[in-house]
Amino acid sequence: PSDLPAGLVSRRAQLHLDLAWAYTQHRRDAEALVQLLDAEQIAPQLIRFHPVVREAVADLVGRSRTSSGVLHDLAIRAGVLN
């Protein structure tokens, strides 16, 4: 994603989301979380409103052993947790 031109903000963010979804499907949760956080840095609105993000974050939260931390904060920002 970092090799894409700076003007392609939406495409760069979408690529991070696609990677996060793929990592989530393969239960590579740490990598998925990194991709979601990278996407959030580029386009924060996607984290709140994109259905794939909500599904991926819900999967990650469901598999998480802790109820706090970076994932918990992301889940709140994504609207998965209150």
Side-chain angles (χ1 to χ4, degrees):
S2 62
D3 290 340
L4 291 172
L8 297 177
V9 174
S10 178
R11 183 63 197 130
R12 287 175 55 213
Q14 184 62 49
L15 186 52
H16 283 293
L17 294 183
D18 293 344
L19 288 169
W21 178 84
Y23 283 135
T24 302
Q25 297 305 304
H26 289 278
R27 296 182 174 268
R28 294 174 59 183
D29 295 350
E31 292 98 331
L33 180 58
V34 168
Q35 294 300 321
L36 288 168
L37 293 172
D38 287 347
E40 183 179 34
Q41 288 295 313
I42 296 168
Q45 71 278 8
L46 288 178
I47 296 301
R48 180 69 177 161
F49 299 109
H50 201 289
V52 170
V53 171
R54 296 181 97 162
E55 181 181 334
V57 171
D59 287 347
L60 294 174
V61 168
R63 291 195 295 257
S64 177
R65 295 180 183 176
T66 65
S67 61
S68 63
V70 176
L71 177 58
H72 182 265
D73 295 343
L74 179 65
I76 290 171
R77 292 192 300 273
V80 174
L81 297 176
N82 294 330

